[in-house]
């Protein structure tokens, strides 16, 4: 399998975390590409018309995107057991994944506003609204993280990845002071091999 990815992308990292959890990481050839919303890549566009990473090209030549689809495919193929099959725990895991992905969506949109958009067109109200989204989501996770207990599933893995992304791109964000329970959980959960082995290089201790 061939994965279009970028080492800084939390969505691409989620795919690799799941691949590690499922014992499939060695079967994935990673193709790193630099990408912004206005910097298309023709090879990627062939396999994902949306031009987004991650995209996974299977051995039969067909492709899968986005991270949620790829992660569930790998879990099924590798029997990872990261998706509770029924009941409340399934919807909780999927909702936590959505919350974590939403944190990354907002953090990336706020980042692109300052990095990619021409200076004269930047809108601080937009940036602030995106930051408020991820701050509200972090506060909600702080309230529910006592329920995480020892759960390792697509929800808790996605939350850990989102927190690492905030550390990576928003080093000044004092989320640990605002969310002490979440911080304590993150510091323990982050020791999993799948998370340590996929940490963006700039964040490694
Ligand atoms: C980043 O550099 O933060 C980034 C790169 C690719 C996708 C998402 C984020």
């Amino acid at each position: 399998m061939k994965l279009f990815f970028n080492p800084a992308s939390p969505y691409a990292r989620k795919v690799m975390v799941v691949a590690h959890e499922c014992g499939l990481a060695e079967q994935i050839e990673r193709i790193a590409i630099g990408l912004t919303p206005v910097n298309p890549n023709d090879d990627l566009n062939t396999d994902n018309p949306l031009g987004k990473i991650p995209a996974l090209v299977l051995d039969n030549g067909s492709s899968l995107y986005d991270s949620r689809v790829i992660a569930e495919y790998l879990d099924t193929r590798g029997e990872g057991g990261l998706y509770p099959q029924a009941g409340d725990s399934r919807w909780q895991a999927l909702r936590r994944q959505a919350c974590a992905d939403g944190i990354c969506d907002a953090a990336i949109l706020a980042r692109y506003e300052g990095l990619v958009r021409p200076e004269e067109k930047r809108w601080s109200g937009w940036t602030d609204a995106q930051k408020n989204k991820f701050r509200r989501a972090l506060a909600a996770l702080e309230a529910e993280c006592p329920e995480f207990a020892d759960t390792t599933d697509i929800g808790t893995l996605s939350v850990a990845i989102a927190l690492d992304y905030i550390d990576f791109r928003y080093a000044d964000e004092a989320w640990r002071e605002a969310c002490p329970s979440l911080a304590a959980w993150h510091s323990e959960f982050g020791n999993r091999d799948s998370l340590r082995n996929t940490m963006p290089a700039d964040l490694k201790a």
Side-chain angles (χ1 to χ4, degrees):
M1 294 177 277
K2 201 172 74 176
L3 180 71
F4 288 102
F5 95 120
N6 181 294
S9 162
Y11 314 109
R13 183 174 176 219
K14 178 167 58 167
V15 166
M16 287 311 300
V17 166
V18 170
H20 277 278
E21 293 282 347
C22 297
L24 294 173
E26 300 300 321
Q27 295 183 34
I28 296 179
E29 177 198 350
R30 286 174 296 163
I31 300 173
I33 52 175
L35 202 63
T36 73
V38 290
N39 174 24
N41 177 292
D42 289 342
D43 289 340
L44 172 62
N45 288 348
T46 304
D47 288 304
N48 178 357
L50 298 171
K52 288 177 154 185
I53 52 169
L56 183 72
V57 183
L58 305 182
D59 295 339
N60 67 8
S62 66
S63 59
L64 292 175
Y65 48 85
D66 54 8
S67 68
R68 296 184 205 199
V69 175
I70 300 170
E72 193 159 356
Y73 169 79
L74 293 176
D75 185 76
T76 304
R77 182 162 160 170
E79 298 177 8
L82 297 173
Y83 293 78
Q85 283 310 299
D88 289 349
S89 55
R90 175 170 177 78
W91 304 119
Q92 205 168 52
L94 293 178
R95 195 255 309 146
R96 284 178 185 150
Q97 175 181 218
C99 184
D101 284 359
I103 288 171
C104 297
D105 293 345
I108 290 167
L109 285 173
R111 180 172 153 75
Y112 281 159
E113 185 71 15
L115 198 73
V116 180
R117 193 181 296 282
E119 199 166 351
E120 69 281 4
K121 295 183 177 162
R122 286 179 198 156
W123 179 14
S124 62
W126 164 266
T127 306
D128 292 345
Q130 297 304 327
K131 288 183 175 176
N132 286 337
K133 279 181 202 277
F134 74 63
R135 286 174 184 148
R136 279 198 307 272
L138 291 173
L141 291 172
E142 167 70 5
E144 75 164 295
C145 85
E147 297 164 26
F148 290 1
D150 292 329
T151 306
T152 301
D153 62 19
I154 193 61
T156 51
L157 289 167
S158 301
V159 169
I161 292 164
L163 295 173
D164 285 337
Y165 187 74
I166 296 294
D167 280 343
F168 182 41
R169 291 304 190 199
Y170 293 85
D172 294 340
E173 187 74 24
W175 70 267
R176 283 182 177 76
E177 283 81 72
C179 306
S181 302
L182 193 60
W185 169 82
H186 176 250
S187 119
E188 184 65 32
F189 192 74
N191 289 322
R192 289 189 75 76
D193 285 348
S194 64
L195 291 165
R196 294 183 72 85
N197 289 336
T198 57
M199 187 69 99
D202 302 359
L203 253 187
K204 277 188 181 146

